[in-house]
Amino acid sequence: MSPHDIDYVKIFDTTLRDGEQSPGCSMTREEKLRVARALAELGVDIIEAGFPAASRGDWESVAAVAREVQAPVICALARCSRADIDKAWSALEGAARPRLHVFLATSAIHRVHKLHMARDEIIRMAVESVRHARSLCDDVEFSPEDASRTELEFLAEVVQAVVDAGATTVNIPDTVGYTTPQEFHETFTFLRNRVRGLDRVTLSVHCHDDLGMAVANSLSAVRAGARQVECTINGIGERAGNCSLEEVVMALAVREQAFGVRTDIDTQRIYPTCRLVSSITGMPIPRNKAVIGENAFAHESGVHQHGMLRHASTYEIMRPQDVGLMRSNLVLGKHSGRHAFRERVRELGFELDEEELGRVFTRFKALADRKKELFDGDIEALVLQVEGDTGGPWTLERLATTSATGEDARAIVELAHVDGRHIEQAASGDGPVDAALTAIEQAIGLPVRLHKFEVRSVSEGEDAQGEALVTVVCDGRTYRGCSVSTNIVESGVRAFLEVINRIELSRQSGRRPRQPTAGASIIQGAA
Ligand code: KIV
Ligand code: ZN
């Protein structure tokens, strides 16, 4: 294969839309902006910023991303209804390069059980919606939801109709993660042979991971001519998630000659971006996660270690630094200066301005007073925590706990609210964490159900910092919070308070109890 055969594949990131639909992964507007900026730095071509008709909060987040993040195309999702499309378009007002993405289910299962619509009605609605979207925006994507379970002939009919109506990208989703690489290759080949003018639009692929084949199915579609891949950071998304950006991008990069395509992703920014999304969503990166997991570059067996010492390529198909995993054994401590600290932060892939660096450095000094040695994991946690405050409304002013074997633990918490309220509350419980969380619940008066409480160490040594991950259910939705401290009771309490803040912010932004899943409902006949 010659370099002239190398084609370009657009990376369409939907972490802020499909990724956010993952239970417990909802993000505040500020968090979405931080992720969007990181995605722009990573080099994604398109950011799907949200689903503006879902709630006022979603609309505001899309509008903020559209105003502030300029380099990539900013896309907003809409159902096939005039009201949805107009709402999405109004949110995109500030975007330098806006895209409208309209979708409508096409499979028999969805037509019969969800939409109660006949085939010709589906085509009419899709065409009217694409035409309306095109009257507003030059860049319009159409997705036949559940395409992989749609009758091939009918799918081709729908795709032909929306191409003729002016869609500039046609996306083929495997909405329920049902297809296989071979089958999806055939679907794409069939459509390319059958639909007139499909070569003049971008053909896109969108896969879910229910059977663990999202990346393989996406790669197969690329082989069959797809030139846009829809994916999410860490593969987060509905149910088992979406095609993972880091995996699909590295597969295309490492096997460039096999696929004959390239992307514009700055692969060295992959790990910092994944870490950022993990800390914001509270979804830890599994140790054995391909490309970015802690074990992805660890070699345990003697044979492998021996090979690695001889030549890294014996057991490594990519280098940790290729994905931005710049681990070092350099340990920082209380005598380390601002300069050394700044260098370390940069090597870890974070770009901080002087003011942000100053704030992290102050925390670094405070931590270094308590903890002798600071490792990469500690520094990463400090940066992500300083960057990642939900911004209230509640803050922890004081926490005191006592516990002894065989007795109930006691906790006193002092909380402050941005509206000026100041509450002190005491409670007892089964251990200091339980007592402190009960005190917070009583102080705030919010009925929540603690679903999960996990603690893990972010670095090494006896005085390692503990990261607490708290999962809570409230109003039928799942919320996650995470916090890091050398004191695990404190990190648990801070993580819980982060959850409380998320619930309050989410209520303020008018979020419905459960965001409608893509296509779970449709405004009948509204187009
Ligand atoms: O999975 C799906 O079908 C979707 C569409 C809205 C593209 O997310
Ligand atoms: Zn999806």
Side-chain angles (χ1 to χ4, degrees):
M1 177 165 303
S2 86
H4 302 293
D5 298 325
I6 301 286
D7 250 0
Y8 187 74
V9 169
K10 295 181 200 167
I11 297 299
F12 175 114
D13 181 277
T14 182
T15 305
L16 299 179
R17 199 279 296 170
D18 225 352
E20 209 220 4
Q21 287 177 211
S22 178
C25 283
S26 59
M27 300 173 227
T28 64
R29 187 177 57 190
E30 276 318 306
E31 289 168 342
K32 286 188 177 178
L33 269 171
R34 283 173 52 220
V35 172
R37 288 190 200 108
L39 291 171
E41 294 223 353
L42 179 64
V44 306
D45 300 275
I46 301 113
I47 295 177
E48 185 161 56
F51 186 2
S55 72
R56 188 162 42 79
D58 276 45
W59 186 93
E60 283 167 1
S61 299
V62 175
V65 172
R67 268 194 316 270
E68 295 194 28
V69 182
Q70 298 288 316
V73 168
I74 305 299
C75 173
L77 184 71
R79 290 165 292 194
C80 274
S81 94
R82 194 172 267 269
D84 257 39
I85 295 168
D86 291 346
K87 201 157 223 141
W89 182 237
S90 67
L92 289 173
E93 200 184 296
R97 299 161 66 205
R99 173 181 293 187
L100 283 169
H101 178 188
V102 288
F103 74 99
L104 180 58
T106 50
S107 66
I109 299 172
H110 283 238
R111 292 195 312 264
V112 173
H113 300 293
K114 186 180 86 178
L115 302 174
H116 312 294
M117 283 166 74
R119 290 181 177 204
D120 58 340
E121 289 175 281
I122 297 279
I123 293 192
R124 187 159 17 90
M125 200 172 195
V127 165
E128 278 176 18
S129 299
V130 168
R131 283 206 186 119
H132 179 56
R134 270 307 299 267
S135 73
L136 303 170
C137 181
D138 288 339
D139 188 348
V140 171
E141 172 167 335
F142 178 81
S143 290
E145 192 194 6
D146 206 17
S148 55
R149 292 192 299 169
T150 301
E151 307 89 322
L152 271 183
E153 294 287 339
F154 180 56
L155 182 63
E157 236 185 283
V158 175
V159 172
Q160 184 69 66
V162 295
V163 167
D164 293 344
T168 48
T169 297
V170 173
N171 177 44
I172 305 299
D174 179 26
T175 305
V176 289
Y178 180 75
T179 198
T180 64
Q182 175 69 26
E183 186 180 83
F184 226 25
H185 192 283
E186 285 161 14
T187 302
F188 276 75
T189 306
F190 175 82
L191 290 174
R192 285 184 75 202
N193 289 333
R194 178 62 69 92
V195 178
R196 291 176 313 280
L198 198 57
D199 51 339
R200 290 196 302 274
V201 309
T202 302
L203 189 54
S204 169
V205 59
H206 176 114
C207 293
H208 281 265
D209 209 28
D210 300 66
L211 293 172
M213 290 192 281
V215 173
N217 289 336
S218 303
L219 291 170
S220 189
V222 168
R223 271 194 176 283
R227 286 298 176 262
Q228 172 176 291
V229 175
E230 303 201 350
C231 43
T232 60
I233 297 291
N234 300 336
I236 61 170
E238 285 275 4
R239 308 178 309 279
N242 286 55
C243 170
S244 127
L245 181 147
E246 57 280 8
E247 292 177 25
V248 80
V249 164
M250 286 316 289
L252 293 176
V254 172
R255 302 304 311 274
E256 186 176 288
Q257 291 306 311
F259 287 102
V261 297
R262 68 172 187 89
T263 72
D264 245 358
I265 296 297
D266 175 357
T267 63
Q268 295 196 349
R269 299 222 46 90
I270 284 182
Y271 179 72
T273 313
C274 292
R275 188 69 181 89
L276 173 75
V277 170
S278 161
S279 88
I280 285 180
T281 56
M283 285 265 270
I285 298 171
R287 288 179 91 93
N288 65 338
K289 170 84 171 62
V291 179
I292 47 150
E294 216 169 287
N295 291 356
F297 297 95
H299 302 273
E300 193 78 18
S301 96
V303 176
H304 287 209
Q305 286 174 354
H306 176 72
M308 284 294 293
L309 288 172
R310 288 291 165 94
H311 203 284
S313 66
T314 49
Y315 287 102
E316 245 171 38
I317 55 166
M318 54 194 154
R319 297 167 310 163
Q321 56 268 39
D322 295 339
V323 296
L325 253 166
M326 321 290 196
R327 293 272 163 218
S328 85
N329 293 326
L330 204 72
V331 177
L332 298 183
K334 67 177 176 187
H335 299 300
S336 305
R338 195 180 166 109
H339 182 68
F341 182 71
R342 180 194 283 117
E343 277 309 295
R344 201 75 213 104
V345 166
R346 190 169 315 135
E347 279 162 20
L348 287 170
F350 297 105
E351 300 289 341
L352 301 184
D353 60 29
E354 276 309 305
E355 197 229 311
E356 287 165 334
L357 187 85
R359 281 193 292 146
V360 188
F361 189 63
T362 308
R363 290 236 197 158
F364 163 76
K365 282 289 181 186
L367 181 60
D369 273 340
R370 275 183 281 144
K371 191 175 181 312
K372 282 198 294 294
E373 296 176 317
L374 272 79
F375 299 89
D376 286 346
D378 294 308
I379 295 165
E380 224 171 63
L382 278 175
V383 175
L384 292 168
Q385 207 166 22
V386 167
E387 279 191 321
D389 270 339
T390 44
W394 290 100
T395 46
L396 179 70
E397 300 271 283
R398 193 171 82 90
L399 166 71
T401 57
T402 51
S403 64
T405 329
E407 287 172 23
D408 268 358
R410 300 267 312 151
I412 301 174
V413 292
E414 271 180 52
L415 302 174
H417 193 277
V418 277
D419 66 9
R421 269 179 290 162
H422 192 274
I423 305 178
E424 183 176 319
Q425 181 76 41
S428 54
D430 184 8
V433 173
D434 184 43
L437 302 198
T438 307
I440 293 179
E441 258 186 85
Q442 287 174 356
I444 294 174
L446 193 66
V448 296
R449 186 163 60 79
L450 184 65
H451 185 63
K452 225 187 231 173
F453 185 90
E454 297 157 275
V455 180
R456 69 175 191 110
S457 151
V458 296
S459 62
E460 298 155 43
E462 283 170 10
D463 56 357
Q465 294 197 92
E467 180 178 56
L469 297 167
V470 169
T471 313
V472 151
V473 179
C474 179
D475 298 337
R477 290 180 61 91
T478 306
Y479 294 85
R480 287 204 180 85
C482 114
S483 182
V484 179
S485 166
T486 45
N487 174 338
I488 52 171
V489 178
E490 185 184 324
S491 54
V493 168
R494 288 193 186 278
F496 186 67
L497 204 57
E498 186 181 312
V499 169
I500 300 289
N501 282 332
R502 280 179 196 280
I503 296 172
E504 197 160 322
L505 290 171
S506 161
R507 284 183 169 183
Q508 281 167 14
S509 75
R511 262 270 167 103
R512 294 174 197 156
R514 178 77 177 94
Q515 185 177 338
T517 58
S521 58
I522 188 114
I523 300 172
Q524 291 277 0

